[in-house]
Amino acid sequence: MEAAALAQWKAAKKERFKWRKAVDERRRREEDEALAAAASYARKADDVRRSAAAAAADAAAARRQLGEAELQVSEMRGRTQHLLSDQFAWEQDVREKAEKERQELLGERKLLLQQLARAQARKRVGELLTSGAVAPAAGQRAGAAAEAREWKELVLAINLDRRADRFARLSSLDWQQLDLERLSAVDGKTLQWDALVQDGIVAPEAAAEAWYAEEHHLPTICTKSGSFSPHLTLAAVGCALSHRRAWERISTQSACEWGLVLEDDVNQVAPDFADHLREVRSLPY
């Protein structure tokens, strides 16, 4: 009995020893695993810290580069503004010099035209004084019969050669037994300022003003602003020369009691043309 109990106690003690040994081994294994895991986590943490430090360093470098770039951009803007200011000043200077040179050239041209006009005038006066010749009146009728005829009533219609349609409409009006004579108008499109100045017809100052107006497209009358410019145009000069022809034509008719000078658009200006013509014919002379 005692031997059996002793054997049982020894067996139980042996089992406890095995269990304690297994527990200790398991605890050591778990502790080793925990230490290994902690070491791995520590290494990872170190890696993360190093990565964070590198990222912080990169960010700091990027901030420095950005600051340097902003400084360069600011300096470049300053230089660009300075260059633009210099360019504007240079362009302004060039424009002023060009305008000054243009004015000087216009002044020289005006002076040359004045000298040329005076020389032409002196030449023409000398020729007239020397020869005693008188220029024939412009606008006389062609043919010997028309030249020999003297009119008591002379009605002249100024009409451009290229506007036969206007003269046809004018001829269809009631002229109350008056003979209508067509006077060939001076076409402004065939005139040139240089020739007009050389012939002494237009003053050099007026031609220079007209050249300037043509160059800058200045209208004689601006319908938008209501302003006007008194400069001549070639069309206006042609109109004036046409009326001079008409007066020269009238002056050659010694028996002409009166004369009437019209332009080919008179029926558009005066719709009641017949009534106006009767009033003119009723005037004493």
Side-chain angles (χ1 to χ4, degrees), residues 1-37:
M1 183 86 181
E2 291 179 2
L6 180 62
Q8 188 177 1
W9 174 81
K10 287 181 179 181
K13 183 177 181 182
K14 187 177 181 180
E15 287 296 330
R16 282 197 301 272
F17 178 76
K18 288 181 180 180
W19 176 80
R20 189 177 296 113
K21 184 178 180 180
V23 170
D24 292 340
E25 289 177 357
R26 183 178 178 182
R27 186 173 59 250
R28 283 193 301 269
R29 211 170 33 251
E30 290 176 353
E31 289 176 354
D32 291 340
E33 291 176 356
L35 290 174

Side-chain angles (χ1 to χ4, degrees), residues 119-195:
Q120 292 288 338
R122 285 195 296 268
K123 181 180 178 181
R124 293 177 64 188
V125 170
E127 292 174 353
L128 290 174
L129 292 176
T130 302
S131 63
V134 179
Q140 293 184 353
R141 286 175 180 241
E147 292 179 356
R149 181 180 179 184
E150 292 185 349
W151 300 70
K152 290 185 178 181
E153 299 170 337
L154 184 61
V155 181
L156 300 176
I158 299 174
N159 173 247
L160 288 169
D161 294 340
R162 54 185 170 85
R163 293 306 304 268
D165 58 318
R166 284 192 172 187
F167 186 72
R169 286 196 298 269
L170 193 65
S171 302
S172 64
L173 300 177
D174 179 14
W175 290 98
Q176 303 168 25
Q177 298 180 348
L178 292 175
D179 292 329
L180 178 65
E181 177 181 343
R182 177 183 177 275
L183 185 70
S184 179
V186 177
D187 195 341
K189 292 185 177 181
T190 65
L191 301 177
Q192 294 181 353
W193 292 114
D194 292 339

